[in-house]
Amino acid sequence: MSRKSKATSKRLYLTRHAQAEHNVASDYTIADAPLTYLGKTQSKELNEVTKNTFQQTAELLVSSPLRRPMETMLIGYPELKARLEKEGKPVILLDTLQEVEALPCDTPTYPISKLKASNNGIFSSLDFSTLSEEYASKSGIYDPKNASERARRVRNWLRDREESEIVVVAHGDILRYIADNQQSSRPWDNAEVKIFTFASEDDENASVVEVDSSAEPKDATDEPTSSEMKN
């Protein structure tokens, strides 16, 4: 049985998804927007810059259940995913990692059967049993007005895990809430990884601090999130 790691020694590799169709078109009506061709290229480059570093050492892989982070994860972290699956630790789809706004581009595909079959079935082997019945409702904890509380719950969930190195793939807005306890203007490119740890062992906000240089593909882009497109 693994011992729970010290929170302030953990490493969280927080990854924004690669470029997606709504980023390029500045169109947040595109439902659960998929990656563009460049986004897939960025994801391949993400694999190249990480396959010999934390993909070799991370102990958990977690993703938002929207299509663009899941595809980024499949293309960007294949060696990590395969290694962890051999160890009996499949990818965890965490619905509280979904993007903030209640817009078509930021709402997960529903129902699960449709989500699993999307993108020519590339997600069909993932375990969707972790998603709540309300995962696509944008109500309750998924309501945009509850983004700060949702991010706090994500941070506490990550801190309570026993793993010392965790890779997370999500979205620009929710990652900023996780990093800064609020919506912020922190720069975060598509397919960029920022590395954090926890500020303390037991504060109720489970606040995080950036601790190391980021990693990103050479073709990373700084595309706007849906909240930035609205402003």
Side-chain angles (χ1 to χ4, degrees):
M1 184 76 176
S2 299
R3 294 179 60 188
K4 183 178 176 182
S5 62
K6 188 176 180 182
T8 53
S9 297
K10 282 179 180 268
R11 289 294 180 267
L12 307 176
Y13 300 92
L14 304 186
T15 312
R16 186 185 175 194
H17 65 77
Q19 185 193 73
E21 290 181 358
H22 71 303
N23 296 138
V24 177
S26 295
D27 183 358
Y28 45 76
T29 67
I30 299 173
D32 196 356
L35 295 185
T36 61
Y37 179 84
L38 177 57
K40 294 176 184 179
T41 297
Q42 291 171 343
S43 300
K44 292 175 184 177
E45 292 174 355
L46 176 63
N47 178 46
E48 288 300 311
V49 298
T50 63
K51 66 182 182 181
N52 294 319
T53 58
F54 61 80
Q55 284 201 63
Q56 299 296 318
T57 57
E59 301 159 281
L60 190 68
L61 180 55
V62 187
S63 177
S64 157
L66 275 86
R67 294 191 293 166
R68 55 192 183 272
M70 291 195 296
E71 188 168 12
T72 300
M73 177 268 298
L74 290 176
I75 301 172
Y77 294 130
E79 296 191 24
L80 173 59
K81 177 177 177 289
R83 175 173 61 80
L84 291 178
E85 286 177 341
K86 288 180 181 178
E87 296 172 6
K89 299 186 76 171
V91 174
I92 294 179
L93 299 179
L94 195 64
D95 49 25
T96 46
L97 280 172
Q98 66 183 262
E99 187 56 304
V100 172
E101 299 294 332
L103 298 166
C105 64
D106 294 336
T107 302
T109 299
Y110 183 87
I112 288 175
S113 58
K114 183 177 179 182
L115 180 55
K116 290 179 71 172
S118 65
N119 292 52
N120 296 314
I122 64 172
F123 309 127
S124 60
S125 66
L126 298 177
D127 179 8
F128 291 85
S129 67
T130 55
L131 304 186
S132 72
E133 293 183 2
E134 297 80 28
Y135 78 94
S137 68
K138 290 296 182 181
S139 62
I141 193 60
Y142 312 108
D143 190 306
K145 69 183 180 183
N146 293 324
S148 291
E149 171 60 18
R150 178 150 61 88
R152 188 188 71 83
R153 292 187 187 184
V154 170
R155 290 192 301 271
N156 273 279
W157 183 86
L158 291 168
R159 188 173 65 179
D160 288 343
R161 296 288 309 190
E162 67 181 16
E163 296 86 2
S164 61
E165 293 188 49
I166 302 175
V167 176
V168 174
V169 188
H171 312 260
D173 284 339
I174 192 61
L175 286 172
R176 292 182 179 110
Y177 273 99
I178 291 169
D180 299 314
N181 298 348
Q182 60 184 354
Q183 178 62 293
S184 73
S185 58
R186 179 188 290 265
W188 212 313
D189 288 347
N190 291 103
E192 180 181 5
V193 186
K194 292 183 182 290
I195 307 170
F196 291 79
T197 192
F198 290 95
S200 78
E201 298 297 315
D202 56 7
D203 74 289
E204 64 179 18
N205 282 323
S207 299
V208 296
V209 291
E210 194 167 1
V211 293
D212 209 344
S213 58
S214 62
E216 63 180 312
K218 64 182 179 67
D219 291 319
T221 50
D222 182 19
E223 304 291 354
T225 63
S226 55
S227 68
E228 292 169 327
M229 286 190 278
K230 288 171 64 181
N231 294 331

